[in-house]
Amino acid sequence: MNNVVLIAGAGPVGLVLAAELRRFGVPVRVVEKEAKLAEHSRALFMWTRTLELLEPSGATAALVAEGEKLHVSNIFAGSKLIGSVDFAGIESQYPYALLLPQARTEQILTEHLAGLGVTVERGAELAGFTADANGVTATLHHPGGKSEAVRAFYLIGCDGGGSFVRKCLGLSSAASPHQSAWYLADVELRGGNFARTELNSFWHEDGFMAIFPVPGGRFRIIANAGRNAKDFTPGTPPLDKIQTILDQRGPGGVTAMNPVWTHAFQVEEYNVASYRAGRVFLAGDAAHVHNPVGAQGLNMGIHDSINLAWKLALAYRGVANRELLLDSYTIERQAVAERVVANLGRAAQAATVRNPTMQFARNLLGNIYFGLAPGRRQVAETISEVSFSYDHSPINGIEDHALPAPGPGQRVAVPAGQPPFGGGPVPRFALLADPGARVEHLRQEFAALLEPELRPTLSPRCIWLVRPDGYVAAMCLREDIGIIEDYLRGYVPTAEDLAAL
Ligand SMILES: Cc1cc2nc3c(=O)[nH]c(=O)nc-3n(C[C@H](O)[C@H](O)[C@H](O)COP(=O)(O)OP(=O)(O)OC[C@H]3O[C@@H](n4cnc5c(N)ncnc54)[C@H](O)[C@@H]3O)c2cc1C
């Protein structure tokens, strides 16, 4: 049997998944049907949590070295400022959004993957597959018409919104997909005085609009067709169309000039009910597509890859409760995508209220909410994705609300000067505890699953066990260390588990 993991699609999600698996010693092949990298950049934003999650692989440093940092998000109704959120307060080594064109992100990730010894097979298309209990047999079409049959341990469809893998599996959205229409323009702006470190969102009864910097001195305007959707035509809209939207929804006195890209496109928002069918998985846009308002799609897809990679790497080497561990990927990530859909839906509703009394009430409530530090903090932590958690995961340890946070499924912020979670050549859990005889015994018994160094505890009363992707696996009082022992024992493969590989 060929023990390779086959990844279909070398967008950002497939590239990150391939690099993480390779780093953990899993052989991968990445096939990409397009011969060349994309020219235009859809995504620009990489949020705090994404930069944290890419740090152990070493990719973050290369991305940060090239991107521009965005520190503040403003919300306006016309020229009236409703509120501002400063990302500086986020407890992270990356308290900002990184602006980097997706095409450049993909180049950097492709080079990162090449550095790990994996070359993307460009021009190679996944053309069919059948899965059984032990693996997947896939058909690849190579340039020049050559076909190849590949036997793979697992197949991951990172093949974007039109996913071939998703269609073959017959997986559909949990709720009816929602269609929306959008305009985008990368332009120079005269007037408006927009700072190059700020995102500006405009609420308007006709629809939503955002303006933010794109590297190279320009700004991107992105707006939904909203109430004017009947006039919408996909393709390349004239600059006049963008100017009309800017005049209607913006602060006034702003002129768009010298566009390098104008684009009118439709988005079908969906979230597939399950991201797994046996040996086949979906990740990124193949599993969920969000409207571009929150700039979350690429980020969410990368989080899928990070979540799946350590689980697949353990499954590849042999682990107890393999099926539960792999099922936790779809349970955890599908729930987060559902929350993002709900958040973006609420934001869109608030942005486009029509009734003047309701608009007045919304603006007043917005002023009050953004005027309070907890409100601003909640918004910053949601947009930057650091508050996402896996609260109802089947692989969470016992929850005890009397104990200090973070609890099972919640993110653990890495203090300055400490290495990120999940570094190294195999996935390992981190133990946060004061030293002691029982802790030492635990470290020796589960040395294969634990980082070699103990990390400082977050409270001397308690012990935390943190997953390779930086979320709490289990935690307990020091005297209840048996809880952590039992949790780790749940990962140790038996001879039967190893034979089932
Ligand atoms: C205008 C716009 C702006 C956006 N801005 C943001 C933003 O600021 N932040 C953000 O997080 N997200 C943003 N997004 C969303 C983001 O672009 C996507 O979520 C992201 O590209 C998804 O990555 P992916 O790797 O899952 O899919 P894709 O990037 O679509 O990559 C899938 C790849 O699979 C390949 N493929 C398809 N079928 C096959 C096959 N059968 N065999 C082999 N290869 C195949 C395709 O050629 C493609 O290269 C934006 C989207 C749009 C439209």
Side-chain angles (χ1 to χ4, degrees):
M1 168 164 159
N2 186 345
N3 265 353
V4 78
V5 170
L6 180 63
I7 297 173
V13 175
L15 291 168
V16 168
L17 181 61
E20 284 298 279
L21 286 172
R22 191 68 211 112
R23 178 165 76 90
F24 290 142
V26 180
V28 289
R29 279 183 73 179
V30 190
V31 291
E32 166 55 57
K33 70 177 181 184
E34 296 297 331
K36 287 196 203 137
L37 279 164
E39 193 188 324
H40 289 302
S41 288
R42 289 177 286 163
L44 280 163
F45 283 79
M46 292 187 101
W47 294 105
T48 302
R49 186 64 183 138
T50 309
L51 298 171
E52 289 181 346
L53 289 171
L54 289 174
E55 194 186 343
S57 71
T60 299
L63 296 164
V64 170
E66 287 205 26
E68 286 184 32
K69 292 176 187 162
L70 187 138
H71 298 285
V72 172
S73 173
N74 304 310
I75 295 184
F76 294 89
S79 57
K80 183 178 160 28
L81 180 67
I82 303 292
S84 278
V85 171
D86 192 329
F87 298 120
I90 297 171
E91 193 188 355
S92 170
Q93 295 178 43
Y94 307 98
Y96 50 82
L98 189 75
L99 291 173
L100 190 63
Q102 183 169 337
R104 187 61 195 134
T105 299
E106 289 178 14
Q107 267 169 7
I108 292 173
L109 294 174
T110 303
E111 285 157 21
H112 175 65
L113 184 59
L116 293 164
V118 181
T119 304
V120 173
E121 299 175 47
R122 289 208 158 265
E125 180 169 359
L126 175 74
F129 63 89
T130 52
D132 55 59
N134 300 317
V136 180
T137 304
T139 306
L140 303 182
H141 285 172
H142 288 282
K146 196 177 130 235
S147 271
E148 180 195 356
V150 178
R151 182 72 183 159
F153 196 54
Y154 291 103
L155 166 68
I156 325 295
C158 302
D159 50 347
S163 176
F164 170 74
V165 176
R166 185 185 70 231
K167 286 175 188 156
C168 290
L169 293 173
L171 293 174
S172 54
S173 184
S176 321
H178 174 68
Q179 291 269 1
S180 54
W182 295 82
Y183 296 101
L184 169 159
D186 288 348
V187 293
E188 287 173 10
L189 289 180
R190 192 171 61 217
N193 231 348
F194 297 113
R196 291 203 60 79
T197 51
E198 299 188 1
L199 160 66
N200 300 288
S201 306
F202 295 86
W203 288 346
H204 192 273
E205 61 194 62
D206 285 348
F208 167 90
M209 179 178 76
I211 299 178
F212 47 87
V214 288
R218 285 186 160 74
F219 287 86
R220 175 166 290 182
I221 299 171
I222 187 158
N224 64 341
R227 296 196 194 280
N228 305 320
K230 58 182 181 321
D231 305 331
F232 180 83
T233 319
T236 306
L239 190 57
D240 287 358
K241 177 75 211 172
I242 307 295
Q243 186 63 49
T244 305
I245 294 175
L246 189 55
D247 292 340
Q248 277 170 348
R249 304 183 195 177
V254 185
T255 309
M257 301 173 302
N258 302 328
V260 286
W261 189 32
T262 63
H263 188 41
F265 59 100
Q266 278 163 317
V267 174
E268 187 176 78
E269 294 162 47
Y270 59 79
N271 184 19
V272 166
S274 173
Y275 298 1
R276 178 182 185 204
R279 293 254 165 182
V280 186
F281 295 79
L282 299 175
D285 275 16
H288 47 85
V289 169
H290 309 278
N291 79 44
V293 170
Q296 306 275 316
L298 172 143
N299 289 268
M300 290 281 293
I302 289 178
H303 299 196
D304 291 348
S305 291
I306 300 287
N307 186 298
L308 183 56
W310 69 269
K311 295 171 182 173
L312 275 181
L314 286 182
Y316 179 82
R317 281 159 198 278
V319 68
N321 299 312
R322 181 181 71 184
E323 296 309 308
L324 181 74
L325 181 65
L326 293 178
D327 276 344
S328 73
Y329 161 69
T330 175
I331 294 167
E332 292 178 353
R333 295 303 305 159
Q334 212 269 353
V336 170
E338 210 55 50
R339 220 174 319 154
V340 170
V341 170
N343 287 346
L344 293 179
R346 271 195 297 273
Q349 255 184 347
T352 53
V353 166
R354 211 152 193 205
N355 175 306
T357 315
M358 296 286 283
Q359 281 178 0
F360 177 79
R362 174 202 65 189
N363 294 356
L364 187 67
L365 285 174
N367 279 150
I368 295 169
Y369 184 75
F370 285 103
L372 299 170
R376 290 196 299 275
R377 185 175 158 179
Q378 190 188 28
V379 173
E381 291 186 347
T382 303
I383 304 178
S384 63
E385 301 178 346
V386 296
S387 62
F388 289 169
S389 54
Y390 301 134
D391 296 333
H392 304 294
S393 172
I395 58 167
N396 280 353
I398 302 159
E399 176 109 44
D400 182 345
H401 293 288
L403 297 183
Q410 292 182 326
R411 160 186 173 265
V412 182
V414 179
Q418 278 187 32
F421 296 110
V426 285
R428 288 215 164 103
F429 291 82
L431 196 59
L432 282 56
D434 282 342
R438 288 191 71 187
V439 169
E440 200 42 48
H441 180 262
L442 183 98
R443 289 182 59 214
Q444 282 171 17
E445 184 178 352
F446 298 104
L449 281 169
L450 292 173
E451 286 181 351
E453 304 295 331
L454 201 59
R455 295 187 186 234
T457 183
L458 305 173
S459 156
R461 287 169 57 216
C462 298
I463 300 178
W464 275 265
L465 183 72
V466 180
R467 302 169 11 164
D469 55 358
Y471 294 87
V472 175
M475 59 110 33
C476 60
L477 289 168
R478 262 187 88 75
E479 55 269 32
D480 295 333
I481 192 169
I483 290 177
I484 306 272
E485 261 172 43
D486 289 345
Y487 183 91
L488 284 168
R489 206 161 282 126
Y491 280 80
V492 178
T494 60
E496 242 177 27
D497 293 322
L498 294 172
L501 280 179

